[in-house]
Amino acid sequence: MVNEKKTRSLFNERSYEFQIMNEIQRAKTISKILDQKYPTIKVPLKSRNVFTLLISVLLSAQCTDVNVNNVTKNIYSKYYKPKHFVKLGRRKIEKLIKKIGIFRIKAKSIYNLSKILIEKYNGKVPKTFEELENLPGVGHKTASVVMSQGFGYPAFAIDTHIHRLAQRWGLTNGKNVMQTEKDLKNLFPKKKWNKLHLQIIYYGREYCKARDCYGLTCKICSTCYPNRKKPIKTKKA
Ligand code: SF4
Protein backbone atom coordinates (compact mmCIF):
# COMPACT_ATOMS: atom_id res chain seq x y z
CA MET A 1 0.00 0.00 0.00
CA VAL A 2 1.25 3.46 -0.84
CA ASN A 3 2.22 5.53 2.20
CA GLU A 4 0.03 8.60 1.78
CA LYS A 5 2.06 10.77 4.15
CA LYS A 6 5.30 9.92 2.34
CA THR A 7 3.73 10.59 -1.06
CA ARG A 8 2.44 13.97 0.10
CA SER A 9 5.81 14.94 1.47
CA LEU A 10 7.51 13.85 -1.77
CA PHE A 11 4.99 15.88 -3.73
CA ASN A 12 5.65 18.95 -1.58
CA GLU A 13 9.39 18.53 -2.02
CA ARG A 14 8.96 18.21 -5.78
CA SER A 15 6.73 21.25 -6.09
CA TYR A 16 9.21 23.19 -3.94
CA GLU A 17 12.06 22.06 -6.20
CA PHE A 18 10.00 23.04 -9.21
CA GLN A 19 9.34 26.47 -7.77
CA ILE A 20 13.02 26.95 -6.92
CA MET A 21 14.05 25.84 -10.40
CA ASN A 22 11.71 28.41 -11.88
CA GLU A 23 13.15 31.12 -9.72
CA ILE A 24 16.67 30.12 -10.74
CA GLN A 25 15.70 30.13 -14.40
CA ARG A 26 14.05 33.52 -14.02
CA ALA A 27 17.10 34.89 -12.23
CA LYS A 28 19.36 33.69 -15.07
CA THR A 29 17.08 35.20 -17.71
CA ILE A 30 16.85 38.50 -15.85
CA SER A 31 20.60 38.67 -15.38
CA LYS A 32 21.12 38.03 -19.11
CA ILE A 33 18.64 40.75 -20.13
CA LEU A 34 20.19 43.22 -17.70
CA ASP A 35 23.68 42.44 -19.01
CA GLN A 36 22.50 43.08 -22.57
CA LYS A 37 20.76 46.27 -21.59
CA TYR A 38 23.39 47.66 -19.21
CA PRO A 39 26.73 46.00 -20.11
CA THR A 40 28.65 48.70 -18.28
CA ILE A 41 27.12 50.79 -15.61
CA LYS A 42 28.08 53.99 -13.86
CA VAL A 43 27.72 54.56 -10.13
CA PRO A 44 25.00 57.24 -10.07
CA LEU A 45 26.18 59.07 -6.94
CA LYS A 46 29.24 61.24 -7.50
CA SER A 47 32.01 61.15 -4.90
CA ARG A 48 35.75 61.77 -4.71
CA ASN A 49 36.74 59.17 -2.09
CA VAL A 50 35.13 56.53 0.16
CA PHE A 51 34.26 59.12 2.78
CA THR A 52 32.35 61.32 0.34
CA LEU A 53 30.66 58.21 -1.06
CA LEU A 54 29.46 57.43 2.46
CA ILE A 55 28.15 60.99 2.82
CA SER A 56 26.39 60.88 -0.56
CA VAL A 57 24.68 57.58 0.19
CA LEU A 58 23.56 58.92 3.56
CA LEU A 59 22.20 62.04 1.84
CA SER A 60 20.37 60.00 -0.79
CA ALA A 61 17.82 58.59 1.68
CA GLN A 62 14.40 59.84 0.53
CA CYS A 63 16.09 62.01 -2.08
CA THR A 64 17.04 61.53 -5.73
CA ASP A 65 20.64 60.91 -6.78
CA VAL A 66 20.43 63.89 -9.15
CA ASN A 67 19.49 66.19 -6.29
CA VAL A 68 22.31 64.82 -4.13
CA ASN A 69 24.86 65.27 -6.94
CA ASN A 70 23.69 68.84 -7.56
CA VAL A 71 24.21 69.70 -3.92
CA THR A 72 27.45 67.81 -3.32
CA LYS A 73 29.28 69.12 -6.40
CA ASN A 74 29.60 72.45 -4.60
CA ILE A 75 30.60 70.82 -1.32
CA TYR A 76 33.17 68.16 -2.24
CA SER A 77 35.38 70.57 -4.15
CA LYS A 78 36.22 72.11 -0.75
CA TYR A 79 35.13 69.65 1.92
CA TYR A 80 35.92 65.97 1.44
CA LYS A 81 37.47 64.68 4.68
CA PRO A 82 35.94 64.05 8.12
CA LYS A 83 38.07 66.85 9.62
CA HIS A 84 36.54 69.35 7.15
CA PHE A 85 33.01 68.55 8.35
CA VAL A 86 33.95 68.61 12.02
CA LYS A 87 35.50 72.02 11.47
CA LEU A 88 32.37 73.23 9.67
CA GLY A 89 30.08 72.22 12.55
CA ARG A 90 26.43 71.19 12.41
CA ARG A 91 24.87 74.54 11.52
CA LYS A 92 27.13 75.14 8.53
CA ILE A 93 26.61 71.59 7.30
CA GLU A 94 22.85 72.21 7.52
CA LYS A 95 23.22 75.30 5.35
CA LEU A 96 25.24 73.41 2.77
CA ILE A 97 22.72 70.57 2.42
CA LYS A 98 19.46 72.42 3.01
CA LYS A 99 18.13 71.57 -0.46
CA ILE A 100 18.06 67.93 0.56
CA GLY A 101 15.17 66.27 2.41
CA ILE A 102 15.43 65.88 6.22
CA PHE A 103 18.63 67.94 6.09
CA ARG A 104 18.79 68.68 9.84
CA ILE A 105 18.87 65.01 10.79
CA LYS A 106 21.36 64.29 8.02
CA ALA A 107 23.62 67.21 9.04
CA LYS A 108 23.67 65.90 12.60
CA SER A 109 24.63 62.41 11.38
CA ILE A 110 27.36 63.78 9.10
CA TYR A 111 28.85 65.86 11.89
CA ASN A 112 28.73 63.05 14.47
CA LEU A 113 30.02 60.36 12.16
CA SER A 114 32.89 62.60 11.02
CA LYS A 115 33.87 63.06 14.68
CA ILE A 116 33.76 59.32 15.29
CA LEU A 117 35.85 58.62 12.18
CA ILE A 118 38.55 60.97 13.47
CA GLU A 119 38.45 59.77 17.07
CA LYS A 120 38.16 56.05 16.42
CA TYR A 121 39.38 55.34 12.89
CA ASN A 122 42.09 57.89 12.26
CA GLY A 123 39.88 59.72 9.75
CA LYS A 124 39.31 56.63 7.62
CA VAL A 125 36.04 54.86 6.75
CA PRO A 126 36.01 51.40 8.39
CA LYS A 127 35.78 48.36 6.15
CA THR A 128 33.32 46.14 7.99
CA PHE A 129 29.53 46.06 8.01
CA GLU A 130 29.46 46.08 11.79
CA GLU A 131 31.62 49.17 12.18
CA LEU A 132 29.82 51.01 9.39
CA GLU A 133 26.37 50.21 10.76
CA ASN A 134 27.41 51.56 14.15
CA LEU A 135 28.01 55.01 12.67
CA PRO A 136 25.20 57.58 13.08
CA GLY A 137 22.74 57.62 10.18
CA VAL A 138 24.24 54.50 8.58
CA GLY A 139 21.95 51.52 8.14
CA HIS A 140 22.52 48.19 6.45
CA LYS A 141 21.67 49.51 2.98
CA THR A 142 24.11 52.43 3.22
CA ALA A 143 26.80 50.13 4.62
CA SER A 144 26.21 47.68 1.75
CA VAL A 145 26.61 50.41 -0.89
CA VAL A 146 29.84 51.62 0.73
CA MET A 147 31.20 48.08 1.06
CA SER A 148 30.46 47.31 -2.60
CA GLN A 149 31.07 50.61 -4.39
CA GLY A 150 33.72 51.95 -2.02
CA PHE A 151 35.67 48.79 -1.17
CA GLY A 152 34.64 46.34 -3.92
CA TYR A 153 33.33 43.84 -1.35
CA PRO A 154 30.43 41.68 -2.66
CA ALA A 155 27.22 43.07 -1.15
CA PHE A 156 23.64 43.28 -2.36
CA ALA A 157 22.24 46.60 -1.20
CA ILE A 158 18.45 46.42 -1.26
CA ASP A 159 16.47 49.63 -1.34
CA THR A 160 12.69 49.89 -1.75
CA HIS A 161 13.06 49.97 -5.55
CA ILE A 162 15.03 46.72 -5.76
CA HIS A 163 12.63 45.21 -3.24
CA ARG A 164 9.69 46.18 -5.49
CA LEU A 165 11.24 44.77 -8.66
CA ALA A 166 12.29 41.53 -6.97
CA GLN A 167 8.68 41.02 -5.85
CA ARG A 168 7.29 41.82 -9.28
CA TRP A 169 9.74 39.45 -10.93
CA GLY A 170 8.85 36.64 -8.54
CA LEU A 171 12.34 36.42 -7.03
CA THR A 172 11.18 36.88 -3.46
CA ASN A 173 7.99 36.51 -1.47
CA GLY A 174 8.11 40.23 -0.71
CA LYS A 175 7.95 40.00 3.11
CA ASN A 176 10.57 42.68 3.80
CA VAL A 177 13.89 44.00 2.50
CA MET A 178 15.91 41.61 4.68
CA GLN A 179 14.14 38.64 3.14
CA THR A 180 14.64 40.09 -0.35
CA GLU A 181 18.37 40.47 0.28
CA LYS A 182 18.58 36.85 1.42
CA ASP A 183 16.59 35.58 -1.56
CA LEU A 184 18.55 37.56 -4.16
CA LYS A 185 21.85 36.49 -2.63
CA ASN A 186 20.73 32.87 -2.95
CA LEU A 187 19.63 33.29 -6.55
CA PHE A 188 22.54 35.23 -8.06
CA PRO A 189 26.26 34.41 -7.97
CA LYS A 190 28.28 36.55 -5.55
CA LYS A 191 30.46 38.04 -8.29
CA LYS A 192 27.33 39.59 -9.88
CA TRP A 193 25.81 41.21 -6.76
CA ASN A 194 27.47 44.62 -7.01
CA LYS A 195 26.66 45.09 -10.68
CA LEU A 196 23.13 43.69 -10.36
CA HIS A 197 22.32 46.19 -7.63
CA LEU A 198 22.94 49.02 -10.08
CA GLN A 199 21.44 47.27 -13.11
CA ILE A 200 18.16 46.63 -11.26
CA ILE A 201 18.03 50.26 -10.09
CA TYR A 202 18.55 51.48 -13.66
CA TYR A 203 15.92 49.10 -15.06
CA GLY A 204 13.46 50.20 -12.38
CA ARG A 205 14.01 53.86 -13.19
CA GLU A 206 13.57 53.28 -16.87
CA TYR A 207 10.71 50.76 -16.97
CA CYS A 208 9.42 49.50 -13.66
CA LYS A 209 8.36 52.55 -11.71
CA ALA A 210 6.79 52.51 -8.26
CA ARG A 211 3.32 53.57 -9.35
CA ASP A 212 3.16 51.89 -12.72
CA CYS A 213 3.53 48.41 -13.98
CA TYR A 214 3.23 48.26 -17.74
CA GLY A 215 2.00 44.73 -17.31
CA LEU A 216 2.90 43.02 -20.49
CA THR A 217 5.29 45.22 -22.37
CA CYS A 218 8.65 45.08 -20.58
CA LYS A 219 11.32 42.74 -21.85
CA ILE A 220 11.85 41.07 -18.50
CA CYS A 221 8.22 40.25 -17.75
CA SER A 222 7.27 39.44 -21.32
CA THR A 223 10.14 36.91 -21.32
CA CYS A 224 9.65 35.50 -17.81
CA TYR A 225 5.85 35.68 -17.73
CA PRO A 226 4.57 35.36 -21.32
CA ASN A 227 1.10 34.40 -20.05
CA ARG A 228 0.66 37.31 -17.67
CA LYS A 229 -2.54 39.19 -18.38
CA LYS A 230 -2.60 42.03 -15.87
CA PRO A 231 -0.21 44.57 -14.38
CA ILE A 232 1.40 43.65 -11.09
CA LYS A 233 0.41 45.13 -7.77
CA THR A 234 3.27 45.43 -5.34
CA LYS A 235 3.17 44.78 -1.62
CA LYS A 236 4.60 47.53 0.54
CA ALA A 237 8.25 47.33 1.72
S1 SF4 B 1 5.88 44.41 -16.73
FE1 SF4 B 1 7.54 45.93 -16.58
S2 SF4 B 1 6.75 47.43 -15.11
FE2 SF4 B 1 5.58 45.54 -14.83
S3 SF4 B 1 6.64 44.36 -13.25
FE3 SF4 B 1 7.40 43.69 -15.22
S4 SF4 B 1 9.25 44.89 -15.55
FE4 SF4 B 1 8.03 45.95 -14.00
Side-chain angles (χ1 to χ4, degrees):
M1 198 177 124
V2 182
N3 181 330
E4 202 192 319
K5 218 169 156 190
K6 205 171 165 192
T7 311
R8 212 179 314 133
S9 131
L10 255 175
F11 176 77
N12 286 342
E13 268 172 38
R14 279 284 156 83
S15 69
Y16 181 68
E17 267 173 33
F18 183 68
Q19 192 192 341
I20 291 296
M21 261 190 66
N22 277 344
E23 280 173 1
I24 291 169
Q25 283 166 347
R26 271 202 296 278
K28 277 190 182 155
T29 305
I30 288 166
S31 181
K32 208 168 146 197
I33 293 171
L34 290 172
D35 277 341
Q36 284 162 355
K37 184 121 197 62
Y38 309 109
T40 52
I41 200 136
K42 265 199 203 159
V43 172
L45 283 171
K46 302 228 166 65
S47 59
R48 58 183 284 181
N49 53 28
V50 182
F51 171 69
T52 50
L53 172 69
L54 171 63
I55 300 302
S56 288
V57 183
L58 189 151
L59 290 173
S60 71
Q62 298 174 42
C63 184
T64 65
D65 293 345
V66 175
N67 193 10
V68 172
N69 288 340
N70 281 338
V71 168
T72 56
K73 71 173 183 242
N74 299 318
I75 301 177
Y76 297 158
S77 50
K78 270 167 92 180
Y79 312 109
Y80 52 91
K81 289 182 178 180
K83 66 179 179 188
H84 298 150
F85 287 87
V86 171
K87 207 168 163 200
L88 275 169
R90 263 178 68 184
R91 295 281 170 250
K92 283 191 182 153
I93 299 173
E94 279 180 10
K95 275 194 184 161
L96 288 173
I97 63 166
K98 68 174 188 294
K99 286 191 180 149
I100 284 179
I102 49 173
F103 69 94
R104 285 202 180 86
I105 295 172
K106 288 175 181 174
K108 188 177 170 193
S109 298
I110 292 170
Y111 176 73
N112 287 335
L113 81 75
S114 299
K115 260 178 90 180
I116 294 172
L117 292 184
I118 291 170
E119 285 160 12
K120 224 173 145 187
Y121 300 104
N122 204 19
K124 301 261 187 300
V125 177
K127 279 190 187 177
T128 69
F129 278 99
E130 202 190 344
E131 289 166 312
L132 281 167
E133 286 174 32
N134 275 327
L135 294 171
V138 179
H140 184 62
K141 194 215 90 183
T142 301
S144 299
V145 175
V146 172
M147 288 298 280
S148 65
Q149 292 172 10
F151 296 122
Y153 181 90
F156 215 137
I158 308 293
D159 61 10
T160 51
H161 304 289
I162 296 182
H163 180 58
R164 176 180 75 252
L165 269 67
Q167 286 176 51
R168 289 177 169 185
W169 294 344
L171 302 177
T172 183
N173 64 19
K175 261 200 226 156
N176 52 48
V177 285
M178 275 98 71
Q179 185 61 47
T180 300
E181 180 175 342
K182 210 171 149 200
D183 290 339
L184 294 190
K185 281 181 168 173
N186 279 333
L187 284 169
F188 294 103
K190 220 178 202 178
K191 61 176 191 241
K192 299 205 102 182
W193 293 353
N194 293 356
K195 194 175 179 190
L196 270 165
H197 159 82
L198 291 170
Q199 288 173 317
I200 298 174
I201 286 177
Y202 274 77
Y203 193 92
R205 282 180 189 168
E206 205 173 333
Y207 302 102
C208 192
K209 299 182 181 159
R211 286 171 195 274
D212 305 305
C213 165
Y214 303 104
L216 316 165
T217 51
C218 301
K219 172 99 173 153
I220 284 185
C221 286
S222 56
T223 311
C224 293
Y225 296 98
N227 298 325
R228 186 180 277 168
K229 299 272 184 292
K230 284 186 194 158
I232 288 283
K233 280 193 183 142
T234 309
K235 290 177 211 162
K236 285 205 169 127

